[in-house]
Amino acid sequence: MSTVCMRKTISMCNEHGYMAMINIPVWMFISSYGKLRTEIITRNSLVQMLHFGRGVFGSDFGTTAFVIGKRFVPNYCGTYRKLFMKQGAVDSVETKELWFHEGKGAFSAKQSSYLRIPGNPIAYWVSERFISNFAERLVQDTHFSGGRNKTHGNEQYTRMWWEIADREKWQLYVKGGDFRRWYGNQEVVVDWSTGAKESYASHGGLYNQDYANKPGICWTLITSAKTAFRYKIPEAHYDSGAPTIFNDKFSLDLTLLGFLNSNIATEYLQLLNPTINMGNTYVLSLPYIDVGIRKAEIDTLVKKNIDAAKDDWDSFENSMQFRSHPLVRFMETDGKIATAYNLWSMHAACAFNEMKQVENRLNELYAEVYGLSDEISTEVPDRDISIRKGDLQRDIKSLISYAVGCMFGRYSLDVDGLAYAGGEWDASKYASFAADKDNIIPICDDEYFEDDIVGLFVEFVKTVYGEDTLDENLRFIADALGGKGQPKDVIRNYFLNDFYKDHCKIYQKRPIYWLLDSGKKNGFKALIYMHRYQPDTIARIRTDYVHEQQARYRTAIADLEQRIANASTGERVKLNKKLTTLQAQETEIRAYEEKIHHLADQMISIDLDDGVKKNYAIFQDVLAKIK
């Protein structure tokens, strides 16, 4: 309707008339309004514009006020004011008025120059040199879109890679993800069985299979930040959320990847499409100038950034290529986690700074090639560097997560990468640190069980870093977690209250460790590893753990009642408080036992290929809610 009003009001003007309007700015850039722009540019005169950005009407979608003359004046040069400093920022009307009176954002532009830009955007702020580059080779002259794969049923056909067991049926599937350049965001898998592919094809959703197992360049379709381009590894399929382009040789064009991640390409993309949807069309419309003698240096720098981004990605559990935790890899002979963290932190900081230097250098090289050294900054802000610096609390929490993985046998101190994620169990992999025998690890407010999670964690720290530094390491861990009190108490409190929330966050609400939880009173908590689940697991939890804990509560309550009867007044208050807590826990676990009894008798089997969401729902009455 907004553009209908534009057309109608222009038509209502007499030959020398003008129309003025405040409108949303989508007509200035988006490809679907290209015909309207062409009509205005070739038949009318765009006289003046105040391009407000967001904020005139609060947190709006952006506005622009303009005057259009009905009469076409050849080579007309309009005046423009750009009254926003950052794309997407919401500025007050008062701020915009101040910028206006200070003369900020003033431009003049010949409207015929817009016709030289693909899509004819109203790009009033760009220079003649900037526009002239479109007369050179474009990306579409050397590359093409790989199409897209749509399953028409992601709930059925996609999983997070850590959910499943069948590595042949489920194959890597890039779907976009967070802002990340060069490499990464490889967490989703897609059903690539014959039946599934036939289903995709029947809906017209299967991409050209000639492009399968080929390297390419992909990015995240929808992003509120800058577009980040990545190497699509050959074995990965791709979905509509990760547009992908290839060249005729089906080889990775390092030079193009470097250009797409440069400040130069960012400026061109913001010109061609300042919206949050960055489709193939816009990327293929970019000017792609031959870099000449700079190619060898550029390709070396880009390869270095891919390797650095891969090393960073593979340092965390959500990578399929994760091998071992950094605080284990960087362990020194002094056996101190603090030393390991400092070494890892320095390594990460060096990688971060080197990537920033490389990106700055790439920007310099591309600015020279495109003749824009005086127009576009070559500096990359820290927030745009994709790899992660050390973060003490995050890294200690991830060490705890890795330790839990070792407790369950998912990881091993003797094996790189996944030791067990389904299939045949091999106990010989766990010589240094034994995996829990029954796949049930209780989390209690005291060390009631032999395989209590805090006891196992302490044993893990002792095994990895040595007994001599155990107390110092536990204190370092507790301090990093931010708790007060004795180290074991802080660590226990973390397992009781925060570990599972962090686990669900890391694994994007598809947890691989499941928390059996009786409720807010902490009457009973235990973890199991979904890949080791057996039909009798729930029954064993009931008989070997829940019943044991109930018996302990009864004994403890009876003991307290006797002590209270013989206690002094001051001591009785303290004991009564503890008794109230135990009674609440005993009541809670009694109700929980009834729920778990019902499930235990069913001897339920699960299919890992069904994914966490479906399988977790089967046991929802006895499991913690995923938040």
Side-chain angles (χ1 to χ4, degrees):
M1 287 301 295
S2 67
T3 51
V4 167
C5 289
M6 289 176 65
R7 273 203 173 102
K8 182 63 176 175
T9 50
I10 291 173
S11 70
M12 292 168 65
C13 294
N14 64 29
E15 183 182 354
H16 298 284
Y18 298 88
M19 66 82 90
M21 180 179 289
I22 185 166
N23 208 334
I24 54 176
V26 290
W27 67 272
M28 298 170 61
F29 306 102
I30 294 179
S31 58
S32 55
Y33 298 102
K35 185 178 179 181
L36 172 66
R37 288 194 294 273
T38 302
E39 287 179 5
I40 293 172
I41 294 168
T42 58
R43 300 179 187 177
N44 311 114
S45 299
L46 189 47
V47 182
Q48 290 179 328
M49 175 179 288
L50 295 176
H51 192 185
F52 292 115
R54 301 177 66 195
V56 171
F57 297 104
S59 186
D60 53 28
F61 292 101
T63 51
T64 181
F66 49 88
V67 178
I68 295 177
K70 184 167 184 178
R71 186 165 66 95
F72 174 70
V73 179
N75 297 316
Y76 188 82
C77 192
T79 58
Y80 302 81
R81 297 294 295 277
K82 186 179 181 182
L83 298 177
F84 60 95
M85 301 300 147
K86 183 180 177 183
Q87 189 71 36
V90 179
D91 306 302
S92 68
V93 173
E94 291 75 19
T95 299
K96 294 182 186 298
E97 286 180 349
L98 179 64
W99 288 338
F100 178 84
H101 290 300
E102 289 177 345
K104 291 184 178 179
F107 299 91
S108 62
K110 190 182 294 185
Q111 69 183 47
S112 59
S113 64
Y114 305 150
L115 297 172
R116 297 160 56 198
I117 305 172
N120 308 335
I122 309 302
Y124 55 84
W125 64 90
V126 298
S127 68
E128 172 61 27
R129 175 62 183 174
F130 193 93
I131 294 174
S132 68
N133 284 328
F134 284 107
E136 303 287 338
R137 181 181 65 170
L138 303 181
V139 174
Q140 65 191 17
D141 295 331
T142 58
H143 288 72
F144 55 88
S145 166
R148 61 183 186 175
N149 192 63
K150 286 184 72 71
T151 67
H152 296 278
N154 282 349
E155 192 80 13
Q156 177 180 356
Y157 293 116
T158 64
R159 301 281 184 269
M160 305 308 290
W161 72 263
W162 50 78
E163 297 182 70
I164 50 88
D166 187 341
R167 304 295 172 184
E168 293 184 6
K169 174 183 176 182
W170 299 93
Q171 299 186 13
L172 192 59
Y173 191 49
V174 290
K175 281 180 59 66
D178 296 334
F179 179 89
R180 187 171 181 87
R181 287 174 171 162
W182 311 112
Y183 186 95
N185 287 357
Q186 299 166 9
E187 298 172 315
V188 180
V189 289
V190 64
D191 185 347
W192 213 245
S193 62
T194 300
K197 288 190 287 183
E198 288 174 352
S199 174
Y200 311 153
S202 69
H203 293 92
L206 193 66
Y207 65 77
N208 189 332
Q209 291 300 280
D210 290 340
Y211 308 159
N213 299 310
K214 303 293 194 302
I217 296 173
C218 66
W219 61 94
T220 300
L221 175 67
I222 300 176
T223 175
S224 58
K226 299 174 183 176
T227 304
F229 295 85
R230 295 178 290 279
Y231 167 37
K232 187 204 78 67
I233 60 177
E235 57 267 34
H237 304 287
Y238 50 93
D239 139 287
S240 55
T244 302
I245 57 176
F246 302 94
N247 60 18
D248 291 334
K249 298 177 182 177
F250 287 111
S251 60
L252 175 62
D253 189 338
L254 295 169
T255 309
L256 178 60
L257 180 58
F259 168 63
L260 292 176
N261 278 329
S262 72
N263 288 358
I264 314 303
T266 296
E267 289 295 321
Y268 275 107
L269 287 171
Q270 289 179 347
L271 161 66
L272 295 174
N273 178 31
T275 72
I276 63 172
N277 288 277
M278 188 57 68
N280 273 316
T281 302
Y282 304 108
V283 175
L284 292 171
S285 298
L286 291 172
Y288 183 34
I289 301 176
D290 190 337
V291 298
I293 60 172
R294 303 173 180 85
K295 181 173 174 56
E297 181 182 359
I298 286 173
D299 287 359
T300 298
L301 293 173
V302 172
K303 183 65 167 60
K304 183 179 292 187
N305 272 359
I306 292 173
D307 291 343
K310 184 179 187 305
D311 179 68
D312 170 73
W313 181 257
D314 292 343
S315 294
F316 294 84
E317 277 186 49
N318 54 347
S319 167
M320 296 178 80
Q321 305 303 318
F322 174 75
R323 291 289 176 260
S324 179
H325 195 273
L327 300 189
V328 175
R329 284 192 288 121
F330 284 86
M331 181 180 62
E332 282 290 286
T333 54
D334 67 2
K336 296 180 181 180
I337 296 177
T339 303
Y341 173 75
N342 288 335
L343 290 171
W344 153 246
S345 184
M346 285 189 291
H347 168 83
C350 287
F352 183 97
N353 293 332
E354 185 172 9
M355 178 173 281
K356 183 171 181 175
Q357 291 174 3
V358 167
E359 291 197 15
N360 287 340
R361 177 56 181 159
L362 286 170
N363 282 331
E364 292 171 1
L365 292 167
Y366 287 111
E368 292 171 7
V369 169
Y370 284 75
L372 299 172
S373 298
D374 297 332
E375 294 184 40
I376 297 176
S377 171
T378 58
E379 286 294 313
V380 180
D382 283 0
R383 65 177 178 273
D384 288 347
I385 303 301
S386 296
I387 59 178
R388 292 156 282 198
K389 291 183 177 180
D391 180 310
L392 179 58
Q393 187 174 87
R394 179 204 66 198
D395 295 335
I396 288 298
K397 285 182 176 181
S398 68
L399 175 65
I400 293 172
S401 176
Y402 177 69
V404 172
C406 290
M407 295 175 201
F408 279 121
R410 178 174 178 81
Y411 304 116
S412 167
L413 297 176
D414 306 308
V415 176
D416 281 342
L418 288 178
Y420 184 81
E424 187 175 344
W425 179 263
D426 182 358
S428 67
K429 292 181 177 180
Y430 309 100
S432 298
F433 182 78
D436 187 71
K437 291 180 180 179
D438 62 4
N439 187 38
I440 304 164
I441 301 178
I443 306 174
C444 304
D445 55 10
D446 207 340
E447 197 166 344
Y448 294 122
F449 294 95
E450 184 180 340
D451 56 350
D452 169 72
I453 197 165
V454 176
L456 292 179
F457 180 70
V458 171
E459 190 62 31
F460 171 85
V461 174
K462 185 195 301 184
T463 301
V464 175
Y465 300 98
E467 189 168 6
D468 292 344
T469 55
L470 179 61
D471 290 341
E472 182 178 351
N473 283 334
L474 292 178
R475 169 52 63 190
F476 183 77
I477 291 167
D479 290 345
L481 292 174
K484 295 180 179 179
Q486 293 300 311
K488 287 185 182 180
D489 294 336
V490 173
I491 293 167
R492 185 174 298 281
N493 187 62
Y494 174 70
F495 276 118
L496 278 169
N497 299 306
D498 296 316
F499 171 79
Y500 203 62
K501 286 184 289 187
D502 289 339
H503 177 65
C504 290
K505 184 177 179 181
I506 291 170
Y507 284 88
Q508 301 179 38
K509 297 188 177 182
R510 298 292 186 270
I512 54 174
Y513 312 132
W514 293 356
L515 179 64
L516 290 101
D517 187 4
S518 63
K520 295 180 179 179
K521 304 299 181 182
N522 292 330
F524 180 79
K525 279 184 167 70
L527 288 172
I528 62 172
Y529 177 28
M530 61 175 281
H531 289 274
R532 288 181 61 189
Y533 172 87
Q534 297 294 327
D536 66 344
T537 297
I538 302 298
R540 285 187 286 113
I541 291 171
R542 175 178 174 253
T543 57
D544 297 350
Y545 292 88
V546 173
H547 287 175
E548 284 284 325
Q549 189 68 357
Q550 284 182 290
R552 287 193 180 93
Y553 284 142
R554 287 193 293 268
T555 301
I557 288 170
D559 177 62
L560 274 174
E561 287 174 340
Q562 185 175 2
R563 290 170 61 191
I564 289 169
N566 301 316
S568 63
T569 302
E571 188 182 7
R572 193 177 298 152
V573 172
K574 184 179 178 181
L575 293 174
N576 270 319
K577 185 177 180 181
K578 190 172 183 180
L579 177 63
T580 300
T581 299
L582 283 171
Q583 287 172 333
Q585 289 179 319
E586 196 276 333
T587 300
E588 184 180 85
I589 198 173
R590 193 185 324 128
Y592 187 70
E593 196 278 340
E594 293 177 8
K595 294 179 182 178
I596 209 167
H597 187 177
H598 174 70
L599 286 170
D601 288 346
Q602 297 180 52
M603 299 290 286
I604 299 168
S605 296
I606 66 170
D607 183 347
L608 291 173
D609 284 351
D610 287 339
V612 169
K613 191 172 182 180
K614 183 176 179 179
N615 285 319
Y616 206 88
I618 298 171
F619 307 97
Q620 60 184 350
D621 288 344
V622 298
L623 295 176
K625 286 184 171 58
I626 296 175
K627 297 178 181 179

